[in-house]
Amino acid sequence: MQSSYFGKPRSSSKLWAIGHWFGPYAPLIVMFISGLVFLSLTRLGLVVWKWERVQATGELCQILLQGVRVDVIQLGLLAIIPVLLSPVLATRKFFNVWRGFTFWWVLLSLVLLVFLEAATPGFILEYDVRPNRIFVEYLKYPHEVFGMLWQGFKPELFFGLLMTMIAFAMVARLLKPWREAEAKWASPAVWLVWPLILVLTVFGIRSTLTHRPANPALFAITQDSMVNSLILNSTYSVFYAAYSLQHEAKSSAIYGKLPREKIFALTGAKDGDIPTLTTLVPSVKRDKPLNLVILLQESLGAGFVESLGGKPVTPNLEKLKDEGIWFTHLYATGTRSVRGIEAVVTGFQPTPSDSTVKLDLSQKNFFTLAALLSKRGYLTEFIYGGESHFDNMRSFFMGNGFQQITDQPDFKNPVFVASWGASDEDLLNKTHDQLMAHHASGKPFFTLAFSSSNHAPFEFPDGRITLYEQPKATDNNAVKYADYAIGEFIKKAKASPYWNDTVFLIVADHDIRVRGDSLVPIEHFHIPALILGGAVQPKTVDAIASQIDLPVTVLSLMGIEAQHPMTGHDLSNLGADYRGRAMMQYNYNFGWMQQMGTGVAENEVVVLREGKPPAFGHYDPVSKQLQNTPAPADANDLAERALANSLLPALLYKEQRYRLPE
């Protein structure tokens, strides 16, 4: 004989048989148990898929056990709102409301878990990590992102939708007994049990008795960031990313604190109105300063440049490198386009927060090359084949010195339009036309042109290049096409009247698919950079360098003498004793690589991590591997210098002190 289930025969389901003992809290118990089983199984599947990297860590048991801990945290987060409402809604008077509310709450919560886990394999393939802040940020741009998914990721898209629909049907069926439930507990019983349920839920969310609740840093137990992300579940990863985006201004404090005066002492800043204000004395004196054109190349990492140890898919860049200033060991500051824009256009150092291109306090009166040059009578413009509102570029540029923007609607009869906009060919044809017009006007100009062809789903016109591989839509082929477009543009530029009056900078925003089994995969921060122009003397710079050095360097070559707040170095005229450095923000890890001798192989690396002591290493530029090492003799000095250089930009941003003097 079946026992009573809230006044009706109880379901024979073992899951509901357990839930029965918890009365009105039954659907939350069912959500907890089924969610825990599902998330553990999906994690196990990901571990099997990435077994080689998981096995290399030697932490399989901890990965699975700590994963259950994260799942308890996430399920507690999903349960907390119903638990808080239960003293009122779970009483007999409002039981019908409670039953309907919890039915839909549990249904949508479990479907969300399934949806994000279904999206995880495709995201890992692209970004080598579970869905994180990139996933959250892309939600703001559905048009561009859906176009990319439709063109290049149809299997993943259909798989995610199919799994979501199946989950909706299965969970609705699972919850069917709850829709027929009747109130059996008296209100005093609900109120008596509620404190215990609340305490258990809150403890599950905190997951620790220490003064700080658990966060992803607690589960970073290996040197491999991808494996660390497997410990999490994707819903927790996305939730934490969304939460972190609301607390960006204080983000550098995750590595520790230093007194204000020590930050300034270690970075060379001064406690004034603009702490980093300096005067650039150009290495080249010119009667009339030159124009500036920056070609910012999407995802053009060193792995696509044969002379930098990559694949032979940039033949034009290889030919041009002997005609200008070529940087052999230059490193990007981050892994996103907006981080590359931040470094190249503003010279701002990276932090764990979002790029200043997207943060509120930097939308006006924030230093950019355009802000400086526009005050000197330059026409300043941004040209992009896509929609310039993406990643908040239009707002940031227009608020900080750029006078005009050309984007996709301004391209008339483009040769080819891809998911991300007009092709690189169209972009650089438009750029050439604009430069010809600017030169004819007699007004100096600064033009920033941002490419997009080397972005998934890797679309470009036929007949331009001999494909490097099959099928056509690959990153190697897209880079080769982007290189073709650069080559054609430079040919036209050399034959144009603006060539001798202009400095051209060709540089990547970041590498493609930055991933690896080290705390910071330095090899994937390595990018090419080349400065060209009729007035530029060719040479090779072999020192370790950072993207933030480039804006200072091009101003120097242009012959601009000016005050500015940038902290980058002028690489146009280095002394024999110069020792370079690079800074790299990789998710929530901050890498600082300091050149210690005349050769780049003589270096020390420190990695700052959230809630953990600094890690030390040495980067081998030949094998392209970051090797863990014991703390060097100067470990404390190295770690403090890195910490100061992470805290400094956060301080400048928060206090709005990264600007031109009035």
Side-chain angles (χ1 to χ4, degrees), residues 570-618:
D570 179 4
L571 303 179
S572 64
N573 189 24
L574 297 178
D577 60 346
Y578 178 75
R579 302 292 184 265
R581 48 76 195 105
M583 56 207 75
M584 296 151 279
Q585 190 69 49
Y586 181 58
N587 297 325
Y588 290 104
N589 289 353
F590 178 78
W592 178 273
M593 179 163 62
Q594 182 70 55
Q595 185 174 339
M596 306 302 293
T598 55
V600 295
E602 300 174 71
N603 64 71
E604 290 180 349
V605 178
V606 58
V607 178
L608 304 182
R609 301 174 290 171
E610 181 181 7
K612 293 182 180 295
F616 298 92
H618 170 266

Side-chain angles (χ1 to χ4, degrees), residues 7 11-12 124 143 147 154 170 260 302 316 330 338 346 363 453 465 499 520 529 552 606 626 643:
S11 167
S12 58
I124 289 177
H143 173 72
K154 283 191 182 77
M170 291 183 66
R260 184 186 186 90
N316 288 293
L330 186 129
V338 285
T346 79
Q363 295 308 300
S453 291
I465 61 169
W499 174 255
V520 176
V552 180
V606 58
L626 175 60
L643 178 57

Side-chain angles (χ1 to χ4, degrees), residues 299-310 326-334 507-512 514 520-529 541-545 547 582 584 593 600 619-622 624:
S299 303
L300 182 59
F304 297 114
V305 183
E306 187 174 19
S307 62
L308 298 180
W326 177 243
F327 300 89
T328 59
H329 292 93
L330 186 129
Y331 295 86
T333 58
V507 63
D509 56 356
H510 57 84
D511 192 10
I512 195 168
V514 179
V520 176
I522 294 177
E523 67 276 16
H524 287 298
F525 283 79
H526 189 196
I527 58 173
V541 176
D542 290 321
I544 291 175
Q547 263 179 327
M584 296 151 279
M593 179 163 62
V600 295
Y619 180 66
D620 184 346
V622 177
K624 297 185 180 296

Side-chain angles (χ1 to χ4, degrees), residues 237-260:
S237 181
V238 168
F239 274 30
Y240 190 82
Y243 168 80
S244 298
L245 288 172
Q246 306 302 314
H247 299 81
E248 296 290 15
K250 297 180 180 178
S251 62
S252 290
I254 65 176
Y255 303 133
K257 297 179 180 180
L258 285 175
R260 184 186 186 90

Side-chain angles (χ1 to χ4, degrees), residues 21-98:
W21 297 103
F22 294 86
Y25 298 103
L28 302 182
I29 298 302
V30 168
M31 178 180 74
F32 181 84
I33 296 173
S34 55
L36 206 58
V37 171
F38 170 74
L39 292 172
S40 295
L41 289 175
T42 56
R43 179 176 297 104
L44 186 60
L46 293 172
V47 164
V48 171
W49 176 38
K50 294 294 183 179
W51 175 245
E52 185 175 340
R53 287 173 67 174
V54 171
Q55 187 182 38
T57 68
E59 297 285 357
L60 174 62
C61 290
Q62 280 297 304
I63 289 168
L64 297 178
L65 289 173
Q66 293 297 325
V68 171
R69 186 177 173 187
V70 177
D71 297 342
V72 170
I73 294 173
Q74 182 55 50
L75 291 164
L77 288 169
L78 292 173
I80 189 65
I81 290 179
V83 168
L84 290 173
L85 295 174
S86 63
V88 176
L89 296 185
T91 58
R92 285 187 174 182
K93 183 177 180 180
F94 297 106
F95 187 79
N96 288 342
V97 175
W98 171 255

Side-chain angles (χ1 to χ4, degrees), residues 453-611:
S453 291
N454 187 31
H455 196 300
F458 308 114
E459 302 162 290
F460 55 91
D462 294 325
R464 301 304 195 271
I465 61 169
T466 300
L467 296 181
Y468 175 76
E469 62 192 359
Q470 292 291 345
K472 176 189 172 187
T474 68
D475 52 3
N476 290 317
N477 289 330
V479 167
K480 193 172 182 182
Y481 168 72
D483 176 77
Y484 158 82
I486 291 171
E488 293 301 303
F489 170 76
I490 295 298
K491 284 179 187 176
K492 288 190 286 188
K494 286 180 177 178
S496 301
Y498 60 76
W499 174 255
N500 289 326
D501 302 329
T502 305
V503 171
F504 298 82
L505 168 62
I506 304 171
V507 63
D509 56 356
H510 57 84
D511 192 10
I512 195 168
R513 302 189 188 95
V514 179
R515 60 184 61 181
D517 57 5
S518 56
L519 291 173
V520 176
I522 294 177
E523 67 276 16
H524 287 298
F525 283 79
H526 189 196
I527 58 173
L530 174 65
I531 299 176
L532 292 167
V536 174
Q537 298 301 310
K539 66 176 178 178
T540 299
V541 176
D542 290 321
I544 291 175
S546 171
Q547 263 179 327
I548 68 167
D549 298 326
L550 295 175
V552 180
T553 302
V554 294
L555 285 178
S556 182
L557 291 169
M558 291 165 66
I560 298 286
E561 182 172 344
Q563 286 187 308
H564 66 79
M566 294 184 287
T567 57
H569 301 162
D570 179 4
L571 303 179
S572 64
N573 189 24
L574 297 178
D577 60 346
Y578 178 75
R579 302 292 184 265
R581 48 76 195 105
M583 56 207 75
M584 296 151 279
Q585 190 69 49
Y586 181 58
N587 297 325
Y588 290 104
N589 289 353
F590 178 78
W592 178 273
M593 179 163 62
Q594 182 70 55
Q595 185 174 339
M596 306 302 293
T598 55
V600 295
E602 300 174 71
N603 64 71
E604 290 180 349
V605 178
V606 58
V607 178
L608 304 182
R609 301 174 290 171
E610 181 181 7

Side-chain angles (χ1 to χ4, degrees), residues 292 294 341-348 356-357 362-375 380 393 395-403 446 448 551 555 563-566 658-660:
L292 175 62
I294 297 178
I341 290 171
E342 176 185 68
V344 173
V345 179
T346 79
F348 197 68
T356 49
V357 174
S362 48
Q363 295 308 300
K364 63 179 180 179
N365 202 27
F366 191 83
F367 175 81
T368 66
L369 289 175
L372 186 153
L373 295 173
S374 62
K375 287 190 173 185
T380 55
M393 292 186 293
S395 175
F396 177 79
F397 288 146
M398 294 303 289
N400 290 301
F402 283 83
Q403 298 158 359
F446 163 42
L448 170 66
L555 285 178
Q563 286 187 308
H564 66 79
M566 294 184 287
Y658 193 77
R659 51 182 169 78
L660 288 169

